[in-house]
Amino acid sequence: MDEEVAKLLNAAIAVHASDIYLLPKKAEYQIAFYLEGRFQIQQELSLVQAQRLINFLKFKADMNLSERRRPQLGAWTYQDLQQQVFCRLSSVGAFLGAESLVIRLIYPSLTATGYFFPEQFEQIKAACKQRGMVLFAGPMGSGKTTAMYSFAQSFKEQLIMTIEDPVEIYEPNFLQLQVNDKADMSYESLLNAALRLHPDIFIIGEIRNERTAALAVRAALSGHLVLSTVHAKNVYGVYARLVNLGISKFDLEQTVQLVSYQRLIETTGPMPKVLFDLLTLQDVSWQQIEAKKKGGMTDEWKNRLISCKDSGEITPAILEKYLQG
């Protein structure tokens, strides 16, 4: 079974898939990768083969093997010949009792060579040297968490605390806290406890509601650097989303250093690279934000994509695919 799991994970890592799905069908299971924004079926397994594979993966991730109905989360670090990949597992029983499993693959932190334009990497890094918030957006599998950790890891000899639900990347040099509402470990209670430790940098896994947004702003206003992710269609939408979550425009102007939207884009080379769309409130008016929050990228995004096509790093088809984000 070790060899079967290694073969599956190595195949997913080779194409830089963001997720592996084991999904029950009528008389078999499908294995699929989430890759380049698409769900791609790889192979089919018998029910017996799939259950053996699921049980092995759940064992590795310290999950309850006998529980096949209720949702479970687990984590496991997979080591191949070249790198460690953090695997976050999620299982749940489907309608007819068969169990499904999804493996989120979190890749090692990238250096500036993992991005099309190193100066964008340096711009985000410079923003992270200021007090306030640096926010990351992008669709599932675009590498937001990896990027956020990459920038935090570049700061040596500082106390970095994370508050996540769940923890996605194990980083032994960070103090990582995981939300557990059943144990009265909410975002709010963990942040209150964390503030007493006076960390230099906070990572808040995701700003997903009014409470989390208010806590992130509170931490930023108290003099900390806060890194977090926000779900939005573009950089303009991040600012609009925070206003909708009850954050005043004044507080956003006081706290947000930079918003980054990113996509992991296929290249003509062996590996994809990240392209950022960056925006500060010095670059745009609130009227522009309101007008473009539902769609549309900055002119800089389009110009950089064209530059990538002209230099041969991406194809014309890829340019068209990502022109609108």
Side-chain angles (χ1 to χ4, degrees), residues 48-64:
V48 172
Q49 287 176 308
Q51 195 57 62
R52 287 177 58 234
L53 185 59
I54 288 172
N55 284 343
F56 182 84
L57 289 164
K58 288 172 66 177
F59 170 76
K60 286 288 190 180
D62 198 25
M63 298 163 72
N64 185 349

Side-chain angles (χ1 to χ4, degrees), residues 159-194:
L159 177 57
I160 301 172
M161 296 188 66
T162 79
I163 302 175
E164 301 174 81
D165 183 18
V167 169
E168 291 200 66
I169 299 175
Y170 171 61
E171 173 48 73
N173 295 319
F174 296 175
L175 180 55
Q176 295 179 284
L177 309 179
Q178 182 162 293
V179 172
N180 185 342
D181 288 322
K182 292 181 179 179
D184 292 326
M185 297 171 66
S186 64
Y187 267 110
E188 186 171 10
S189 63
L190 289 176
L191 184 57
N192 286 332

Side-chain angles (χ1 to χ4, degrees), residues 199-258:
D200 299 293
I201 300 172
F202 272 119
I203 292 177
I204 297 177
E206 180 188 340
I207 295 177
R208 60 180 67 176
N209 52 40
E210 293 181 0
R211 181 183 65 176
T212 317
L215 292 170
V217 170
R218 173 186 161 196
L221 288 172
S222 65
H224 300 85
L225 170 64
V226 177
L227 309 180
S228 190
T229 66
V230 179
H231 280 292
K233 291 183 178 180
N234 56 25
V235 284
Y236 305 102
V238 172
Y239 291 107
R241 172 72 174 148
L242 292 172
V243 171
N244 289 339
L245 290 175
I247 305 303
S248 72
K249 294 176 181 179
F250 175 80
D251 281 344
L252 291 178
E253 291 166 357
Q254 292 294 306
T255 57
V256 178
Q257 294 293 336
L258 184 69

Side-chain angles (χ1 to χ4, degrees), residues 9-10 12-14 16-18 75-80 82-88 103-108 168-169:
L9 289 171
N10 289 342
I13 292 168
H16 213 82
S18 62
W76 172 43
T77 301
Y78 173 69
Q79 175 74 58
D80 70 2
Q82 297 179 325
Q83 61 184 328
Q84 280 190 339
V85 177
F86 189 76
C87 304
R88 180 160 59 84
I103 307 169
R104 167 62 57 87
L105 302 176
I106 309 291
Y107 294 93
E168 291 200 66
I169 299 175

